[in-house]
Amino acid sequence: MQQNRFFVRGSKQAASEFAAKVFLEAFWNSTGNFLFGTATGQTPVLTYQNFAKIHRDKAEGEPEDFADFLRFIQLDNYVSPGSSADNLPWYSYERELSESIWRVPNSGMYIPREYTGNPEKEAEEYRKLRQAQLNWANTYMQILGIGDEDGHIAFNMPGTPFDSTVHVVDLNQETITANANKFFGGDKSLVPKRAITTGIGDILKANIIVFEALGSKKASIVKKAFFEEPTEQVPASALQYYGGLLFVVLDDEAAAEIPKEAFTPMEEIDIAKTVSDFLN
Ligand code: PGA
């Protein structure tokens, strides 16, 4: 039987390059429309840089219309009352994506609107919009990070049902504290307290998932997610039920608590062949 789950590890740069190559090979080895599910945060930054670079090199000489087959859909967004389309907050995910992966030529970019006065209605609309994009796509590939302590994926907090769809969420204290420390100079009062997130059930619909975790803070939760009983208390453990093609890409620090025999050396994986055998 074809293997559909790979654990790889390496330096931060090697891990990010590997994740970028999966996206690249998936895009160029799939037929038809390709939906790239993005995540924000620190983890994918290097991956996006690598992806944009390799994609640019590879796209040179290719028909210019390749962009017609590529769209991006973001997992989640904060709810930021008081902001507007013309006045996005400085921490805006929309801005972050516009300055990184959205710069790759594409035919559509989607994100929940953070400035909506009615988040529940926006969640409902985003659910429909996601469905329309899934209908458009022949292949949906999702990049995923993980919450340092509680194992959230997208903004699905512990306790979220594994079959959940797009919903409004009150962020828990762990997430607010982690995000305050990473992005808001430690000031928890500045972190938005609510968000709109794609559900766990939506994420599990992807054809390919690249789960990426970097740094020692993730070591313990990554082990819980993949090597302990799945539980709604650790949202990422839902990935144990995932039937698509899964790459768990870790740097050496995040990999510290995973048994060594779980890993396949990166150089032994023919990404293009693995992806195209899986998709075709
Ligand atoms: P990070 O966030 O990539 O900034 O560590 C991950 C997450 O909270 O999902």
Side-chain angles (χ1 to χ4, degrees), residues 199-221:
I200 296 175
D202 298 321
I203 293 170
L204 297 179
K205 285 187 185 153
N207 303 97
I208 304 174
I209 291 180
V210 177
F211 172 97
E212 200 179 352
L214 306 175
S216 56
K217 277 201 180 129
K218 313 269 184 187
S220 154
I221 195 69

Side-chain angles (χ1 to χ4, degrees), residues 7 146-148 151 211-215 217-228 234 236 240 248 250 254-255 257-258 263:
F7 285 78
I146 184 169
D148 298 354
F211 172 97
E212 200 179 352
L214 306 175
K217 277 201 180 129
K218 313 269 184 187
S220 154
I221 195 69
V222 168
K223 173 169 166 262
K224 279 193 191 140
F226 292 101
F227 292 90
E228 292 180 9
V234 180
Q240 293 187 39
V248 178
L250 309 174
E257 296 187 25
I258 308 287
F263 292 96

Side-chain angles (χ1 to χ4, degrees), residues 142-154:
Q142 181 64 56
I143 187 166
L144 272 188
I146 184 169
D148 298 354
E149 284 170 38
D150 64 1
H152 66 246
I153 48 175

Side-chain angles (χ1 to χ4, degrees), residues 40-44 145-148 152 154 179 182-183 218:
T40 44
Q42 290 178 336
T43 308
I146 184 169
D148 298 354
H152 66 246
N179 287 2
K182 285 183 209 170
F183 307 110
K218 313 269 184 187

